[in-house]
Amino acid sequence: MFDQEKSLVELKIKTYLQSEGIDDCNLEFRQIPFSGEWGLAVPLFPLAAAEARLGKKISVPQRAQELAEGIQAYLGDDLGGFSHVEAVKGYLNLFFSTATYAQRVIDTVLEQGADYGRHPGRDKTVMVEYSQPNTHKAFHVGHLRNVILGGSVCRILEGAGYEVIRANYLGDIGLHVIKWMWNYMKNHAGETPDEDRTHWMNAIYAEADQLFQDPENEAEVRALYARWNQRDPEIIALWQKTRQWSLEGFDQIYTQLDESFDRLYFESEVEESGARLVDALIQKGLARDERPEGPVIIDLDEILGTEDEYRVLVVLRSDGSSLYSTKDLPLAIQKFAEYDLDQSIYVIDVRQSLYLKQIFKTLEVMGFEWADKLHHLAYELVNLPGNVTMASREGTVVLFDDLVREATRRAKTIVEEKNPELTEAIKHEIAEAVALGALKYTMLARDNAKVVTFDWDAALDFNGQAAPYIQYAHVRAGSILRKAGQSLPPQAVFPDELHKAEVDLIELMTRLPGDVLRAAEEYRPLIIANLSFEIARVFNDFYNTCQVLNAAPDVRDYRLRLVAAAQQVIATSLKFLGIKAPSIM
RNA sequence: GCCCCUGUAGCUCAAAUGGACAGAGCACUGGACUUCUAAUCCAGGGGUUACAGGUUCGAGUCCUGUCAGGGGCGCCA
């Protein structure tokens, strides 16, 4: 926004530094902290330190301060866009005129509207594979983190200008599916799922899992597995039908979460090509066939001459049946055959780090030149208090729909209190936006590498650093604008004296575009989660201390534009997180 | 045995390329609704950033080691 001023002053500073005998230096521009004004700070420490390294007998902090003062004197009164300059503690601080700066920021935000913070297309395509649920099973809070993280990363990548392909990879075959079908045929024949499909599917699965403990039942399940392997038409038909139910159930959940996918891959699709691929690997001498005594393996350490780094990847069981690896290799290949990808991201929990490292390396030694475009986006698990892992088998799960229902119920109670006049449908819509927002924010406002400990009280706490707080700031802004009347003042002049809350608010708004880029590069929605909260916090402060509607006309005009811009930035940042920004709550 | 991650206020978590005083929320105490929605705001206390060294003008951030917790390591997914 201030590139012109910046490059002008940079040129002047360099001219001065040359006269001091410093050529070819990189100046660093950063923000000035704690100032209450805007500007650029240039630390002179690096230059002073460089001189010291060349053998000059100087104290670095002292020399840095000397340089800063020298530049200040050199610039004199010819500040070109800056209002004043100071040299303090080895920094050169260049201040913008408050009025000019504020107006330029607000004008830019309002002019760009929903596009503010977003970047132009860069002609790069990235595929993000996430969610990856098993059909015929539950969808619990552990699965939720993956979807929410993956979904937000997609939105942020799009904001950074990437073309994004959302991919889902469904586990639609395996023992869990056979168990489910066995129980269905034996105990639930003819039944059809109820409204909440995933919940219903899971009930049958959980029961099957219990019954499976009985050796007699296990034998029946194994027999059914054999029929499946022979492609018994009756079994295949049942599989297709029940799989569809599961997919419909996932769609209900994805719709509720505001997620959707461009491309669905199924494990069943890549199983055969995986088997062929393993044969080819054996032919090439990359894989070693130890059957029937052992499995088919790829000894990566042996191939690469490394030790204990890549270990051994098993690509086929000794009985010839497939593993995850059997399918992940052809899947990766298929992705690049279908799309011209610049990046292929796997959102998968951190426990699979070594496994994915092996998969990526295997593809590399197979000679695929795109192997370096594969990236594992690892995240930690969602555990229950006491570091208990969620596992269906242990019964230690919080199911998605139970959680959403309870959270929505609690949010609804508050909506009833605050806005009793709204229709039932709208109350529910708001409650759900708040409830889901709170859940999503909890998952996103935590570094990917950190375990989320789920407890009901924290998940359902709508106060403090949480999505409802941010949504509420958005509502308040909207409320002011609504009461102000139809149209926003087309422009307004900002005064040179602004309230601290106003200064901070404008400052935070300028951070959005840069933070989006950084969040995209690092796959960290947390950066946006933090920013959105801070903007909301400062907005609430502003709301309390600065009157808008009752202010003098000129003040009212610029503050209305400030409010509109703040609302826009809050809405945009929430959007990156996949969180809805209601207009009433 | 080897590898990866984490360790910051009582609790849950932040802190861009190493930069100016390590910040929020919760909880606690005390204040603020006849005024744009109090799901809000203000004030207060609370820290040897696990520990010990090192690099640097400067380290929560980088390096080495130690301790504590979690995870991974040829036929689980």
Side-chain angles (χ1 to χ4, degrees):
Chain A
M1 235 177 284
F2 286 83
D3 292 342
Q4 266 193 345
E5 287 85 346
K6 186 179 143 187
S7 43
L8 257 169
V9 81
E10 189 171 3
L11 203 66
K12 286 194 213 163
I13 293 173
K14 285 189 171 170
T15 309
Y16 170 77
L17 289 171
Q18 267 171 16
S19 73
E20 281 287 299
I22 302 171
D23 298 310
D24 191 35
C25 54
N26 278 320
L27 287 178
E28 190 186 331
F29 289 82
R30 50 175 62 239
Q31 286 184 341
I32 306 173
F34 321 116
S35 58
E37 286 181 275
W38 299 288
L40 298 172
V42 185
L44 282 312
F45 295 100
L47 303 183
E51 285 189 318
R53 271 192 291 276
L54 286 176
K56 281 199 186 179
K57 290 266 184 271
I58 48 172
S59 138
V60 170
Q62 204 180 321
R63 176 60 176 159
Q65 177 64 13
E66 195 182 303
L67 285 171
E69 282 169 13
I71 296 167
Q72 183 183 19
Y74 175 76
L75 291 175
D77 295 328
D78 183 17
L79 297 175
F82 294 95
S83 66
H84 59 288
V85 176
E86 63 176 27
V88 53
K89 291 182 185 172
Y91 288 84
L92 181 76
N93 292 335
L94 302 153
F95 293 92
F96 293 119
S97 142
T98 299
T100 312
Y101 186 89
Q103 186 174 345
R104 199 184 295 187
V105 171
I106 298 305
D107 287 354
T108 304
V109 173
L110 291 177
E111 191 185 318
Q112 296 184 5
D115 284 333
Y116 177 74
R118 309 183 66 86
H119 298 261
R122 52 178 78 207
D123 200 29
K124 298 258 188 202
T125 304
V126 42
M127 174 177 280
V128 182
E129 180 198 299
Y130 64 107
S131 192
Q132 308 115 324
N134 282 329
T135 63
H136 300 75
K137 281 176 96 170
F139 200 93
H140 60 68
V141 174
H143 300 122
L144 201 55
R145 186 173 190 184
N146 186 303
V147 184
I148 290 168
L149 173 61
S152 178
V153 164
C154 287
R155 290 171 219 261
I156 290 167
L157 286 169
E158 283 169 341
Y162 291 93
E163 184 74 31
V164 175
I165 298 163
R166 293 164 163 82
N168 198 349
Y169 179 43
L170 295 113
D172 61 338
I173 49 169
L175 186 59
H176 70 279
V177 176
I178 307 297
K179 276 196 239 176
W180 191 99
M181 289 199 289
W182 167 81
N183 187 31
Y184 180 81
M185 292 166 77
K186 185 153 179 169
N187 300 313
H188 301 275
E191 291 179 21
T192 53
D194 59 25
E195 197 65 16
D196 189 339
R197 282 169 162 51
T198 306
H199 206 271
W200 183 84
M201 295 293 291
N202 183 56
I204 292 180
Y205 175 76
E207 188 183 48
D209 206 48
Q210 280 295 315
L211 295 170
F212 188 72
Q213 304 304 317
D214 183 341
E216 216 168 287
N217 291 332
E218 186 185 335
E220 286 184 31
V221 171
R222 298 285 173 199
L224 187 63
Y225 212 154
R227 285 177 71 190
W228 154 266
N229 279 328
Q230 288 149 18
R231 297 295 180 265
D232 183 324
E234 187 197 343
I235 305 305
I236 297 292
L238 179 63
W239 169 66
Q240 283 172 338
K241 184 165 77 174
T242 56
R243 183 180 85 162
Q244 188 54 34
W245 290 341
S246 215
L247 296 181
E248 285 164 12
F250 293 150
D251 271 343
Q252 289 174 333
I253 292 167
Y254 294 141
T255 301
Q256 204 165 17
L257 288 172
D258 215 7
E259 291 298 329
S260 64
F261 294 91
D262 303 304
R263 177 72 168 96
L264 299 185
Y265 293 102
F266 293 94
E267 267 188 62
S268 59
E269 272 184 324
V270 283
E271 196 173 33
E272 278 181 46
S273 52
R276 285 198 303 274
L277 190 67
V278 169
D279 282 340
L281 284 166
I282 296 169
Q283 293 299 318
K284 278 195 207 168
L286 282 174
R288 191 160 66 231
D289 191 352
E290 297 180 340
R291 288 177 292 178
E293 295 80 24
V296 180
I297 61 161
I298 301 179
D299 191 337
L300 285 162
D301 278 328
E302 189 184 281
I303 293 169
L304 297 161
T306 50
E307 202 168 324
D308 269 0
E309 192 178 350
Y310 291 96
R311 302 270 170 174
V312 166
L313 178 65
V314 179
V315 288
L316 200 67
R317 285 201 187 90
S318 52
D319 68 358
S321 59
S322 65
L323 293 157
Y324 249 38
S325 54
T326 324
K327 294 164 276 198
D328 265 321
L329 293 170
L331 177 60
I333 295 167
Q334 192 178 340
K335 286 175 178 176
F336 279 87
E338 284 177 14
Y339 302 96
D340 184 15
L341 301 176
D342 295 284
Q343 277 183 77
S344 180
I345 297 169
Y346 294 72
V347 183
I348 297 179
D349 80 74
V350 69
R351 293 189 296 189
Q352 306 211 30
S353 293
L354 175 60
Y355 167 72
L356 285 163
K357 190 171 145 185
Q358 293 175 324
I359 292 290
F360 297 169
K361 203 68 189 176
T362 299
L363 290 161
E364 187 189 311
V365 300
M366 285 171 77
F368 293 105
E369 74 285 354
W370 42 255
D372 62 340
K373 293 174 178 171
L374 303 167
H375 183 260
H376 176 205
L377 171 44
Y379 65 93
E380 263 290 0
L381 300 181
V382 180
N383 285 346
L384 294 167
N387 219 11
V388 176
T389 307
M390 282 194 209
S392 319
R393 231 183 318 270
E394 322 287 325
T396 53
V397 288
V398 176
L399 293 179
F400 172 77
D401 57 303
D402 289 338
L403 177 58
V404 172
R405 199 172 297 126
E406 177 60 17
T408 306
R409 194 187 63 75
R410 295 207 197 178
K412 184 107 176 275
T413 313
I414 303 173
V415 179
E416 300 272 11
E417 258 171 48
K418 313 225 93 170
N419 304 89
E421 74 287 354
L422 297 174
T423 67
E424 200 58 25
I426 293 182
K427 281 183 202 163
H428 180 80
E429 194 183 315
I430 296 167
E432 200 176 79
V434 169
L436 286 167
L439 298 179
K440 290 186 176 187
Y441 194 87
T442 306
M443 300 282 173
L444 294 173
R446 205 159 260 73
D447 225 357
N448 299 337
K450 293 205 176 155
V451 175
V452 170
T453 301
F454 176 88
D455 75 273
W456 283 89
D457 286 339
L460 299 173
D461 186 358
F462 297 153
N463 295 314
Q465 186 163 1
Y469 178 94
I470 303 163
Q471 291 169 319
Y472 185 60
H474 180 267
V475 166
R476 282 178 141 182
S479 182
I480 292 175
L481 296 173
R482 207 165 35 247
K483 295 212 167 153
Q486 291 283 322
S487 60
L488 206 59
Q491 59 177 333
V493 174
F494 282 73
D496 264 314
E497 286 292 315
L498 285 172
H499 193 280
K500 181 174 188 310
E502 296 174 308
V503 171
D504 291 346
L505 196 49
I506 292 166
E507 158 93 40
L508 286 168
M509 284 192 249
T510 64
R511 275 175 35 187
L512 184 63
D515 277 7
V516 169
L517 283 185
R518 195 155 61 89
E521 271 166 33
E522 300 173 15
Y523 312 114
R524 284 175 69 208
L526 166 67
I527 292 169
I528 305 298
N530 282 344
L531 180 64
S532 64
F533 172 72
E534 280 190 41
I535 293 175
R537 190 162 55 80
V538 173
F539 181 82
N540 276 324
D541 181 14
F542 163 82
Y543 184 93
N544 248 269
T545 45
C546 301
Q547 283 289 312
V548 179
L549 298 178
N550 302 326
D554 53 333
V555 173
R556 178 188 150 107
D557 277 4
Y558 87 73
R559 282 190 176 161
L560 276 173
R561 287 178 65 79
L562 177 59
V563 169
Q567 191 196 28
Q568 178 62 252
V569 174
I570 291 171
T572 304
S573 51
L574 284 177
K575 196 153 199 160
F576 284 129
L577 304 175
I579 295 172
K580 293 200 170 100
S583 50
I584 312 172
M585 64 186 271

